[in-house]
Amino acid sequence: VFPSSAFSFFCQTLLLRVFHEVEQAYAVWPMPQQMSQSTDRYPINPQLLAFSYARDSAAQSGCSVLDAAFERYFNLIFPDFVGLSNIWSEPKPFTVSVKVKNGECDGFPDEGSNESYNLSVSAGQAVLKAESVWGALRGLESFSQLVYQDDYNLYFVNKTEIEDFPRFQFRGLLLDTSRHYLPMPAILKTLDAMAYSKFNVFHWHIVDDPSFPYQSRNYPDLSSKGAFHPMTHIYTQSDVKRVIYHARLRGIRVVPEFDSPGHTQSWGKGQPDLLTSCYKGKVPSGTFGPVNPTLSSTYQFLNGLFKEVTSVFPDSYLHLGGDEVDFTCWRSNPNVQAFMAKMGFGSDYTKLESYYMENIVNITAALNKTSIVWQDVFDYRERIPMDTVLEIWKGVPADYRAELGRITLAGYRVLLSAPWYINHISYGQDWRNAYTVQPQNFSGTEQQKKLVIGGEVCMWGEYVDATNLTPRLWPRASAAAERLWSDEEKTSSVDKAFPRLEDFRCTLIRRGIQAEPLFVGHCKHEYSGL
């Protein structure tokens, strides 16, 4: 017989344990559009869990994307699996049945990919239905987060119904591999973590002023003379293919950026006469500025480079940059001055930049690629095709909201990255700022707001390399991931998001992602992935 006080304590402990287990089960990040659960829970024996294709699924065994995902998610769900069964329960098989309407098993995700899915978890089974393999990947990620362990390390999942789809089609993350070279394992690990947060675009800012690590087939001097080191600090063609393949299996597009005419100092080391020679008075100063937009050889080279790049990177988008062009060198060069006069540009060097950007956008259009450019291209009133995507990177909320209004009023699609430059850090919970961004909160019609196709987290590399990349990215980037995936009203509370993000951070730690702490506390398995 329990003493009354002991019985009361026992009940409270039991209630707390049940509450904790149900709360654990709710830790799906980013939050699904619709999700309902009950306290009914089902044991999962790792030895008896099987992933399978539904009989009427368009994808079947041999589907490269899903076959790889089944193996990957088994290991993610059971990181400590050593062949032990749930000895206290009857052996009960559990099946995860996947049905996709369209195969696409050998293709690449693109801007039109459907990532919606429905997931139903009941006794002995989870049924996952999706339009495409890309939606099935998102559903498998959600299922993997639903499975939890009790205090005895036994696995359970609660009865659950999910209907889910992304709010925005473009949910990107930028890595800068020029200012510091990022070795392949760091990039591949980032792609893994992106999939855990349902990001779907890797924006590879692969070259810039400091170094040119991309090893071109047709222009090998670009990396042999422009990289930090011609052998150890380059991305070979096979490296690039490996990144694209790794990303594809996780439903992630790879969009490269070759930013010009500025940010090109490293280009000039391996490509003679590409950059503008700066003058001091009437003589060259020995320094160089942006790409020289007055020479036909410039466009012949860029046409050859972009032709190669678009054959290597399968995505329909190519980022052309176009930001932060310093006109000082152009102004100093007498040949550029003569070209300006000939073209009737006067002394307005934004017209010269417009001339350059319009030329290279036309080059990519001829290669059947859609261009992304930074907002500067729009701000300088450049004539670009209406299918060009503009990316906003400047300003405080009032500034970028005004820019959202201007760009969408002109009919262009837009990406927002200005509030998500998370290479900037501050003491405390700065993820909250990223979480409270409202991408469609600007003055404009509903039609304008539909032109906001998504956004990007940007990790610029001045002070970031492989030693601090992962903890600086995660879980801070995950705050933006939920804003880009989930319903805005249902995720409006930062305080309610905190315990879920804290739990998700522990999931990342368990999966070997060195995500930094959100506040004081601990994770059950916080050292296993280190």
Side-chain angles (χ1 to χ4, degrees):
V1 178
F2 278 111
S4 59
S5 60
F7 182 72
S8 175
F9 176 76
F10 171 77
C11 290
Q12 290 175 7
T13 303
L14 185 62
L15 282 170
L16 282 170
R17 181 176 175 183
V18 169
F19 177 76
H20 177 64
E21 286 164 350
V22 173
E23 283 295 296
Q24 277 189 306
Y26 271 98
V28 175
W29 191 281
M31 181 183 282
Q33 301 291 336
Q34 299 286 341
M35 178 172 169
S36 62
Q37 285 187 313
S38 79
T39 55
D40 296 348
R41 66 176 193 170
Y42 315 112
I44 297 182
N45 183 334
Q47 291 180 318
L48 299 175
L49 179 129
F51 293 93
S52 67
Y53 295 93
R55 288 183 181 178
D56 54 349
S57 172
Q60 293 292 334
S61 182
C63 177
S64 59
V65 173
L66 292 181
D67 284 355
F70 293 165
E71 183 176 348
R72 186 168 70 250
Y73 275 105
F74 183 91
N75 293 323
L76 290 172
I77 294 168
F78 308 117
D80 54 359
F81 176 60
V82 290
L84 298 175
S85 62
N86 291 352
I87 56 174
W88 58 272
S89 64
E90 287 183 41
K92 293 181 179 179
F94 195 99
T95 302
V96 180
S97 174
V98 178
K99 174 186 174 180
V100 296
K101 196 170 180 180
N102 303 307
E104 304 179 80
C105 292
D106 299 318
F108 291 88
D110 57 38
E111 60 180 316
S113 293
N114 188 323
E115 296 175 280
S116 64
Y117 69 91
N118 289 353
L119 177 64
S120 178
V121 181
S122 56
Q125 67 172 352
V127 177
L128 172 59
K129 297 179 181 179
E131 287 290 314
S132 71
V133 294
W134 318 117
L137 288 177
R138 307 301 173 229
L140 288 169
E141 176 57 42
S142 292
F143 176 76
S144 75
Q145 294 183 32
L146 289 171
V147 179
Y148 59 93
Q149 287 178 283
D150 69 1
D151 291 338
Y152 303 99
N153 291 326
L154 301 174
Y155 291 94
F156 294 91
V157 65
N158 282 49
K159 183 177 176 64
T160 308
E161 296 288 336
I162 293 177
E163 289 185 30
D164 203 10
F165 55 88
R167 182 183 176 200
F168 292 103
Q169 69 180 71
F170 191 113
R171 306 177 308 283
L173 187 149
L174 176 150
L175 290 185
D176 169 8
T177 57
S178 172
R179 292 175 174 91
H180 283 99
Y181 176 84
L182 294 175
M184 286 291 290
I187 295 175
L188 300 181
K189 179 183 273 194
T190 299
L191 291 168
D192 292 343
M194 285 174 64
Y196 305 153
S197 289
K198 297 187 173 77
F199 282 105
N200 70 339
V201 180
F202 171 40
H203 175 173
W204 195 350
H205 188 89
I206 193 168
V207 298
D208 206 294
D209 280 330
S211 71
F212 197 108
Y214 171 76
Q215 188 178 59
S216 167
R217 288 192 304 253
N218 298 332
Y219 304 96
D221 282 352
L222 288 171
S223 62
S224 66
K225 296 179 180 179
F228 287 135
H229 189 282
M231 298 296 289
T232 60
H233 285 60
I234 60 169
Y235 302 108
T236 65
Q237 293 287 309
S238 61
D239 289 335
V240 171
K241 286 180 181 177
R242 188 179 173 198
V243 168
I244 293 169
Y245 178 77
H246 196 90
R248 183 184 84 87
L249 291 181
R250 288 151 183 79
I252 297 171
R253 301 161 56 190
V254 181
V255 176
E257 179 183 358
F258 287 80
D259 190 1
S260 69
H263 293 279
T264 49
Q265 289 299 298
S266 66
W267 300 41
K269 296 176 182 178
Q271 184 63 24
D273 302 320
L274 177 66
L275 302 185
T276 305
S277 176
C278 306
Y279 275 68
K280 189 172 184 179
K282 296 183 178 180
V283 296
S285 65
T287 60
F288 296 89
V291 167
N292 190 333
T294 71
L295 303 177
S296 59
S297 59
T298 291
Y299 302 104
Q300 291 168 4
F301 159 72
L302 290 170
N303 185 64
L305 178 64
F306 291 155
K307 195 169 186 179
E308 175 191 319
V309 166
T310 55
S311 72
V312 171
F313 291 88
D315 199 80
S316 59
Y317 284 15
L318 176 63
H319 205 303
L320 297 176
D323 64 318
E324 296 185 311
V325 182
D326 187 343
F327 299 144
T328 307
C329 188
W330 283 352
R331 287 192 185 102
S332 75
N333 186 296
N335 296 322
V336 174
Q337 293 168 9
F339 185 83
M340 292 281 289
K342 175 186 171 185
M343 298 297 292
F345 292 163
S347 59
D348 186 354
Y349 283 83
T350 66
K351 291 182 178 178
L352 182 58
E353 183 183 350
S354 299
Y355 172 84
Y356 172 83
M357 291 303 300
E358 289 162 17
N359 270 285
I360 66 167
V361 168
N362 288 336
I363 289 172
T364 56
L367 295 168
N368 295 317
K369 296 292 182 178
T370 299
S371 298
I372 306 178
V373 293
W374 297 108
Q375 71 182 80
D376 312 49
V377 174
F378 175 83
D379 295 342
Y380 289 155
R381 303 174 302 282
E382 297 170 18
R383 296 187 300 274
I384 51 176
M386 289 306 299
D387 69 343
T388 305
V389 177
L390 290 142
E391 184 165 3
I392 297 175
W393 67 276
K394 296 180 184 179
V396 296
D399 295 331
Y400 68 68
R401 285 173 188 155
E403 187 80 348
L404 281 165
R406 287 190 291 268
I407 291 174
T408 56
L409 184 62
Y412 288 100
R413 291 176 296 165
V414 64
L415 296 169
L416 182 63
S417 63
W420 290 316
Y421 268 42
I422 64 170
N423 49 290
H424 297 293
I425 56 174
S426 60
Y427 189 78
Q429 297 187 34
D430 57 356
W431 68 271
R432 290 172 174 260
N433 298 328
Y435 193 79
T436 55
V437 174
Q438 297 175 306
Q440 292 179 326
N441 181 16
F442 63 93
S443 296
T445 65
E446 285 304 306
Q447 196 61 35
Q448 281 180 255
K449 295 184 179 185
K450 288 178 182 176
L451 292 171
V452 181
I453 62 171
E456 282 194 338
V457 167
C458 295
M459 183 56 73
W460 297 101
E462 288 89 349
Y463 303 96
V464 176
D465 66 6
T467 65
N468 63 346
L469 171 68
T470 300
R472 188 168 291 195
L473 264 178
W474 311 106
R476 296 161 71 233
S478 302
E482 182 153 285
R483 182 56 52 240
L484 291 168
W485 179 280
S486 305
D487 180 88
E488 189 171 271
E489 288 186 17
K490 291 181 180 179
T491 55
S492 60
S493 171
V494 184
D495 291 336
K496 288 182 180 178
F498 175 75
R500 293 191 301 109
L501 185 56
E502 194 173 42
D503 190 60
F504 181 63
R505 182 251 172 178
C506 290
T507 298
L508 293 176
I509 292 289
R510 189 82 190 275
R511 295 179 177 186
I513 305 298
Q514 289 82 20
E516 70 179 17
L518 293 169
F519 196 51
V520 297
H522 80 289
C523 294
K524 185 176 180 181
H525 303 280
E526 61 189 358
Y527 298 117
S528 59
L530 299 179

